[in-house]
């Protein structure tokens, strides 16, 4: 088992390198958001690199686990390494959808279809993610969803992803919200290295975003909203969150 502190130091150093050399790293400047004075009022063409920054951190963390054959025991969100692999694979698909959307601007129904298929694949390979029952603190009973479980779980994913995508638009708005969410998970539920790495990458992005050097883009918006949805559903299904209304 690699020392968690060494992993965190490594990611801090890597993100500092990204921060210092951002303008020189060409992959961060592939998708450019140009102002049109209709919906986009920023003053100059700006890279949509936030998603790439977060995704790179996510993939690097996964590669460390695979390369060093490390156990996933410290991450409560995953039953085993295979569960972690599924999470990374679906995160990659979500990120890819966002990257393509940043490039060619999917029609809303096409993007919805791709997201729907991706979420359904995830629920097929990871049944522990399916919400089978709903508990409310004000009602002394449990609602079992039975045949509607997959539909309801998919609905939860898609509604939050869409809401987060619409929420994104002002510098620091989405990143501060996400940082707050991840800090809450870290403090109240899990001392997860994954969460700490996401926080490190978001802090790096937030600085660049504050300086108007990059935007989150659909790749970042879709990826972060998917991760948040995934983590909260897992916390609920694992009974770390007791009641449905606590998620809100």
């Amino acid at each position: 088992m690699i020392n968690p502190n060494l992993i965190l130091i490594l990611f801090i150093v890597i993100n500092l390198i990204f921060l210092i050399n951002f303008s020189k790293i060409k992959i961060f400047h592939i998708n450019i958001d140009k102002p049109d004075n209709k919906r986009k009022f920023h003053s100059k063409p700006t890279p949509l690199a936030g998603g790439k920054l977060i995704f790179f951190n996510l993939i690097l963390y996964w590669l460390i686990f695979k390369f060093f054959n490390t156990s996933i025991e410290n991450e409560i969100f995953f039953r085993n390494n295979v569960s972690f692999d599924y999470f990374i694979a679906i995160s990659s698909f979500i990120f890819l959808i966002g990257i393509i959307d940043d490039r060619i601007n999917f029609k809303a129904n096409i993007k919805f279809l791709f997201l729907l298929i991706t979420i359904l694949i995830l629920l097929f390979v990871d049944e522990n993610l399916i919400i089978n029952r709903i508990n409310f603190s004000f009602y002394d009973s449990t609602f079992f969803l039975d045949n509607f479980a997959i539909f309801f779980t998919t609905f939860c994913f898609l509604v939050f992803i869409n809401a987060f995508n619409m929420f994104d638009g002002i510098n620091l708005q989405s990143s501060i919200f996400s940082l707050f969410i991840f800090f809450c998970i870290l403090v109240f539920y899990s001392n997860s290295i994954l969460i700490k790495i996401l926080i490190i990458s978001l802090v790096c992005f937030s600085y660049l975003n504050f300086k108007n050097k990059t935007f989150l883009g659909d790749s970042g918006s879709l990826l972060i909203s998917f991760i948040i949805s995934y983590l909260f559903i897992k916390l609920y299904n694992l009974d770390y969150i007791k009641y449905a209304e606590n998620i809100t």
Side-chain angles (χ1 to χ4, degrees):
M1 179 70 181
I2 307 173
N3 188 316
N5 292 327
L6 290 178
I7 294 177
L8 293 177
I9 291 172
L10 171 65
F11 277 89
I12 290 172
V13 171
I14 289 172
N15 281 273
L16 282 174
I17 292 172
F18 286 157
L19 206 60
I20 295 170
N21 298 282
F22 179 78
S23 61
K24 301 176 183 178
I25 303 175
K26 292 184 179 180
I27 194 172
F28 288 149
H29 299 266
I30 294 176
N31 288 346
I32 303 295
D33 192 32
K34 298 178 180 179
D36 58 12
N37 295 320
K38 295 179 181 179
R39 292 191 306 113
K40 304 174 182 180
F41 297 97
H42 44 286
S43 60
K44 61 181 180 179
T46 305
L48 299 171
K52 298 185 185 76
L53 184 63
I54 295 162
F55 182 71
F56 180 84
N57 280 270
L58 194 64
I59 290 298
L60 181 57
Y61 180 49
W62 176 71
L63 289 174
I64 289 173
F65 268 93
K66 303 302 286 186
F67 183 78
F68 290 100
N69 196 26
T70 307
S71 171
I72 201 72
E73 292 176 359
N74 64 313
E75 302 290 357
I76 65 170
F77 307 102
F78 312 106
R79 291 176 300 166
N80 48 44
N81 286 26
V82 174
S83 178
F84 190 32
D85 292 343
Y86 289 149
F87 168 74
I88 293 297
I90 297 301
S91 295
S92 300
F93 280 123
I94 296 288
F95 172 74
L96 182 61
I97 292 169
I99 282 287
I100 298 173
D101 192 30
D102 283 334
R103 171 67 69 172
I104 66 174
N105 195 15
F106 279 133
K107 291 183 178 179
N109 58 340
I110 298 298
K111 182 164 66 173
F112 175 84
L113 180 62
F114 283 143
L115 290 171
L116 174 63
I117 292 171
T118 305
I119 298 302
L120 287 174
I121 291 172
L122 175 62
L123 298 181
F124 177 77
V125 298
D126 189 356
E127 293 183 355
N128 286 335
L129 198 59
I130 298 174
I131 303 171
N132 290 298
R133 79 291 188 275
I134 304 177
N135 299 321
F136 293 106
S137 61
F138 55 83
Y139 190 76
D140 188 23
S141 184
T142 298
F143 294 94
F144 291 96
L145 297 173
D146 298 325
N147 295 331
F148 294 97
I150 292 179
F151 170 81
F152 181 76
T153 307
T154 305
F155 175 79
C156 290
F157 267 108
L158 293 177
V159 166
F160 182 77
I161 290 172
N162 184 65
F164 189 93
N165 197 31
M166 294 178 64
F167 176 71
D168 183 37
I170 301 175
N171 281 5
L172 297 178
Q173 183 168 273
S174 295
S175 59
I176 289 177
F177 172 79
S178 302
L179 282 168
F180 174 76
I181 292 294
F182 291 136
F183 272 118
C184 286
I185 294 175
L186 199 63
V187 171
F188 295 108
Y189 300 112
S190 171
N191 190 32
S192 163
I193 298 176
L194 172 63
I195 301 299
K196 292 176 182 177
I197 289 171
L198 289 170
I199 289 173
I200 291 170
S201 63
L202 276 169
V203 168
C204 178
F205 164 74
S206 296
Y207 177 82
L208 293 168
N209 187 227
F210 176 73
K211 293 293 185 179
N212 292 312
K213 292 185 176 182
T214 187
F215 296 150
L216 194 58
D218 277 345
S219 61
S221 175
L222 295 180
L223 180 60
I224 292 176
S225 56
F226 164 73
I227 292 173
I228 292 174
S229 301
Y230 182 100
L231 296 179
F232 271 101
I233 290 175
K234 275 294 179 77
L235 286 171
Y236 180 75
N237 282 345
L238 293 170
D239 289 327
Y240 287 92
I241 297 176
K242 297 295 183 182
Y243 302 109
E245 67 266 27
N246 291 345
I247 297 177
T248 59

